Amino acid sequence: MGAGLPETIASVTSSTTDTTARTEPDAGPSTGARHRGRTVILLALLLAVLGAICGSAAAAAWDKGYDGRILPGVRVGVVDVSGMTRDGAAAALAVAYPLDKGQVVLRTPVGDMPIPYAAFGRRLDVDPLVEAAMAAGRSQPFPARLVDEVRQAVDGLTLEPVMVLDTVALATTIRTALAPLATTPVDATVTMGRAGPVTTSGRAGRAVDPEPAVAAATAAAGAIDAPALVVVPAGVTSIEPGITNAEVAAAIAEAGRLAAADVILTYRKSTWTIKASTIHKWVTFSTAGGTVTAEADPALVPPTLKPIGRIVAVPPESAIFLHTRSGRIFGVAPGTDGRALDPVATAARVVSELAARAGGAPATPVKVAWMPVAPKLTTEAAQQTAPLMTMLGTWTTWFPISDHNFYGANIWVPARLINGMVLRPGETFDWWDAVGPVSTATGFGPGGVIRGSHTDPTGALGGGMCSSSTTLFNAALRAGLQMGARDNHKYYINRYPLGLDATVWIMGGGKQSMSFTNDTPNPIYIRGIKTRSGSTGYVTYELWGIPDGRTTTIGRPTMRNVVRATTSIEYVSTLPHGQRQQVEYPSNEMDVEVSRVVKDARGHVIHAEIWQTHYVLWNGIIQVGL
């Protein structure tokens, strides 16, 4: 509204809506009213005299003079409508009561929202009031009503003004106007980028409850004497975001304190330093529990601890079964626990130290956490099984001691490395895992290898160890264990069981291993035994364990597609004249099948396999010097 208009603030506690407003009657007649009253009295006396002289004709003429007009003495509120026509009275009332002129203003955080009175139909109920004024004093037919007309003219009649407004429209308009003000708060965010924290700003939201404004506006506008401007505070409140900009700033400050200094790790007399630059890479931000905090990611700490782990580590020593010269186990040498870095517990300690720093605590050294490592075979387990152990399977292979096997070392060194190994229930033995890298440091030397179409007697480091792998394969086979990787030699070597040899090799990027699994419910102890007799060497493997009642049956090998090998003479200049040397030994080409059936104590089949082997034709060669 324009300047100078009166303003009222509607009470938000009002809950009563009265859509009918009425004005109070005047305290007393004005001077003009008293004057009109005297006039009416004189007029009544005059009518009485005229009536006495002329009869009822004059009275009737007087009444007739107000046809279509309001009789004397009638007021609507503050408006004297006496003698007015319908249109005139309506016009006078509209001027006196401009109830549709004005507005309700909703005061909101984003500005005022005006709602014109006309928008919800606020107005004087003119037509019924005019009809009531026209009917005043005319309740009876003439001349019976003459006395009422005179009395009305003398005493006066005041009709209360009546206002109407659409409270539903007002409420709907307020609710519609305030609804867009409701907004959802936006949390501030922070993440750790490559160059440092990356943030987005938070924003407060708004909650809107229009009902107090509806009640206050309805009560204020429902008063007939309401001013032209009614100001109503809107029911809008601010909602803070779950994470504020200030909280993000505090978390960034925490991150700065967290990564401000190195972390010192200690173990006994040793110390290690984790640089602050490394710690900075661990920093992340967490919003758990609705708050944002800076913390170190514990998953990123363990890789930094690997150098410490190598120093802390002490390998465990398994218990050792003591046995007689014949191989029977009679006791146990106790094992010892090892020690290893506990990376998870150590990382947790580091993270805890960094969290304390983030909270403002001074830096303190962190003690490295370690954990005991049990041996594969504990003393207790060995003591429980040693008295019950018997030999489950064994095999022995003979070989000529020569430069072809580095004078037996390439066959006996694996036996020495494997001797005393214990396989826990479900554990798999793998040749290369057990023997490890083949090197001169562990005692291996050059030995024989099959290369293409000829045998190279000293062409491979560790050559000849297949005698050892074949022997252990056959011992495990006869123990009834679950067999794994196995492959045969290119041609048959008659020192090995037909169709049951097991070659091992590593060449370029390829590898052939031999493996088996302890599928018994108890540990298995492996013995590797070295013996010799003159120029003949022997390697023996024994597998000891607690019998579970299984039995093993190995079928006789069957041969098919046999092609007989021959031996030829080859004259060479590399030998002295007439000297003979056999460089290849004949081996027949053939396909061989060998079956194995293993049954448990109740006769149920545990394993049933057929090993199929193809050996190529390998002719013998005797070289003779020219």
Side-chain angles (χ1 to χ4, degrees):
M1 297 297 288
L5 291 176
E7 176 181 311
T8 182
I9 301 296
S11 170
V12 296
T13 61
S14 173
S15 61
T16 303
T17 301
D18 182 5
T19 59
T20 303
R22 300 180 181 275
T23 57
E24 294 294 330
D26 291 343
S30 63
T31 303
R34 288 193 298 270
H35 174 73
R36 284 193 300 272
R38 289 192 297 271
T39 302
V40 171
I41 294 172
L42 292 175
L43 179 59
L45 293 174
L46 176 61
L47 288 174
V49 173
L50 290 174
I53 299 173
C54 304
S56 62
W62 181 81
D63 179 77
K64 186 68 173 176
Y66 283 94
D67 281 350
R69 293 189 297 132
I70 300 170
L71 292 173
V74 179
R75 299 166 60 88
V76 176
V78 297
V79 180
D80 186 351
V81 293
S82 300
M84 294 184 181
T85 64
R86 281 184 171 82
D87 293 341
L93 291 176
V95 172
Y97 294 96
L99 304 184
D100 59 342
K101 302 297 189 293
Q103 58 187 350
V104 171
V105 173
L106 301 177
R107 185 141 290 167
T108 76
V110 298
D112 289 347
M113 295 182 175
I115 304 175
Y117 285 164
F120 50 91
R122 186 178 189 271
R123 59 184 175 79
L124 188 69
D125 199 6
V126 173
D127 292 343
L129 287 171
V130 171
E131 290 303 319
M134 291 295 296
R138 294 189 169 98
S139 60
Q140 301 182 67
F142 186 83
R145 69 181 183 220
L146 181 60
V147 175
D148 292 338
E149 292 178 7
V150 173
R151 183 179 297 112
Q152 177 177 288
V154 173
D155 295 338
L157 173 65
T158 300
L159 301 176
E160 295 296 334
V162 177
M163 179 185 69
V164 295
L165 68 138
D166 189 341
T167 57
V168 173
L170 175 59
T172 300
T173 301
I174 292 174
R175 292 180 185 124
T176 301
L178 295 181
L181 298 183
T183 58
T184 302
V186 177
D187 288 351
T189 67
V190 58
T191 56
M192 183 58 73
R194 294 177 63 89
V198 178
T199 64
T200 63
S201 294
R203 185 177 66 249
R206 288 190 294 263
V208 176
D209 181 6
E211 301 314 311
V214 168
T218 301
I224 198 167
D225 56 350
L229 179 64
V230 173
V231 179
V232 176
V236 179
T237 56
S238 179
I239 305 174
E240 283 292 299
I243 299 174
T244 65
N245 295 333
E247 290 171 332
V248 164
I252 293 174
E254 285 181 348
R257 293 191 295 269
L258 186 152
D262 301 342
V263 168
I264 305 299
L265 295 169
T266 65
Y267 175 72
R268 295 184 176 177
K269 295 182 179 180
S270 300
T271 61
W272 298 267
T273 300
I274 302 177
K275 295 294 185 181
S277 57
T278 298
I279 298 169
H280 177 77
K281 299 174 184 178
W282 300 345
V283 177
T284 184
F285 294 95
S286 170
T287 56
T291 59
V292 59
T293 55
E295 60 184 28
D297 185 348
L300 300 178
V301 181
T304 312
L305 307 176
K306 288 182 179 179
I308 303 174
R310 289 191 288 268
I311 295 175
V312 173
V314 174
E317 295 288 341
S318 289
I320 299 175
F321 292 107
L322 305 176
H323 47 79
T324 64
R325 290 178 63 87
S326 65
R328 181 161 298 279
I329 296 172
F330 67 87
V332 172
T336 58
D337 284 346
R339 182 174 60 242
L341 172 74
D342 188 335
V344 175
T346 303
R349 291 180 181 181
V350 171
V351 170
S352 178
E353 161 65 13
L354 295 176
R357 294 184 185 185
T364 57
V366 176
K367 290 184 178 180
V368 170
W370 61 273
M371 55 187 173
V373 180
K376 284 187 176 181
L377 181 63
T378 64
T379 303
E380 293 76 12
Q383 288 172 340
Q384 291 173 1
T385 58
L388 305 175
M389 278 191 164
T390 60
M391 191 162 60
L392 304 178
T394 185
W395 193 257
T396 299
T397 299
W398 72 272
F399 56 91
I401 299 174
S402 71
D403 60 348
H404 290 199
N405 47 48
F406 197 51
Y407 305 99
N410 292 343
I411 300 173
W412 286 327
V413 167
R416 173 175 57 81
L417 296 173
I418 294 171
N419 182 47
M421 285 189 65
V422 175
L423 291 182
R424 293 171 296 194
E427 187 174 6
T428 295
F429 171 92
D430 181 88
W431 180 265
W432 292 115
D433 289 344
V435 173
V438 176
S439 68
T440 57
T442 53
F444 290 101
V449 63
I450 300 172
R451 293 188 185 279
S453 60
H454 72 282
T455 304
D456 186 343
T458 58
L461 184 64
M465 72 166 59
C466 297
S467 291
S468 199
S469 61
T470 294
T471 305
L472 181 53
F473 175 81
N474 277 270
L477 191 76
R478 285 158 177 77
L481 301 181
Q482 176 183 325
M483 306 309 295
R486 173 262 172 187
D487 195 13
N488 59 283
H489 292 80
K490 191 172 186 178
Y491 60 82
Y492 175 58
I493 301 171
N494 60 12
R495 294 182 292 108
Y496 302 151
L498 183 59
L500 294 178
D501 53 331
T503 183
V504 291
W505 49 263
I506 296 176
M507 188 176 298
K511 179 170 68 173
Q512 174 63 46
S513 190
M514 185 276 293
S515 64
F516 57 88
T517 300
N518 176 12
D519 61 340
T520 75
N522 302 295
I524 287 179
Y525 173 72
I526 304 175
R527 287 190 70 203
I529 304 168
K530 164 191 173 182
T531 54
R532 68 178 295 166
S533 177
S535 61
T536 301
Y538 299 88
V539 62
T540 300
Y541 283 99
E542 296 175 351
L543 275 66
W544 290 74
I546 300 175
D548 61 357
R550 69 179 63 190
T551 58
T552 303
T553 302
I554 298 176
R556 295 176 62 85
T558 61
M559 296 177 289
R560 295 180 293 107
N561 306 320
V562 177
V563 178
R564 297 291 178 181
T566 61
T567 300
S568 61
I569 301 296
E570 182 181 273
Y571 293 94
V572 297
S573 60
T574 56
L575 294 175
H577 175 69
Q579 183 174 338
R580 299 168 65 91
Q581 177 180 332
Q582 187 156 5
V583 294
E584 299 289 354
Y585 292 85
S587 177
N588 295 336
E589 180 178 359
M590 57 186 146
D591 294 312
V592 180
E593 287 188 356
V594 181
S595 65
R596 183 188 74 152
V597 176
V598 181
K599 296 182 179 180
D600 64 15
R602 294 177 294 176
H604 298 154
V605 174
I606 302 173
H607 305 296
E609 304 107 331
I610 296 177
W611 280 275
Q612 296 179 333
T613 303
H614 175 71
Y615 296 111
V616 303
L617 179 65
W618 203 262
N619 291 317
I621 299 175
I622 298 176
Q623 293 180 344
V624 179
L626 291 172

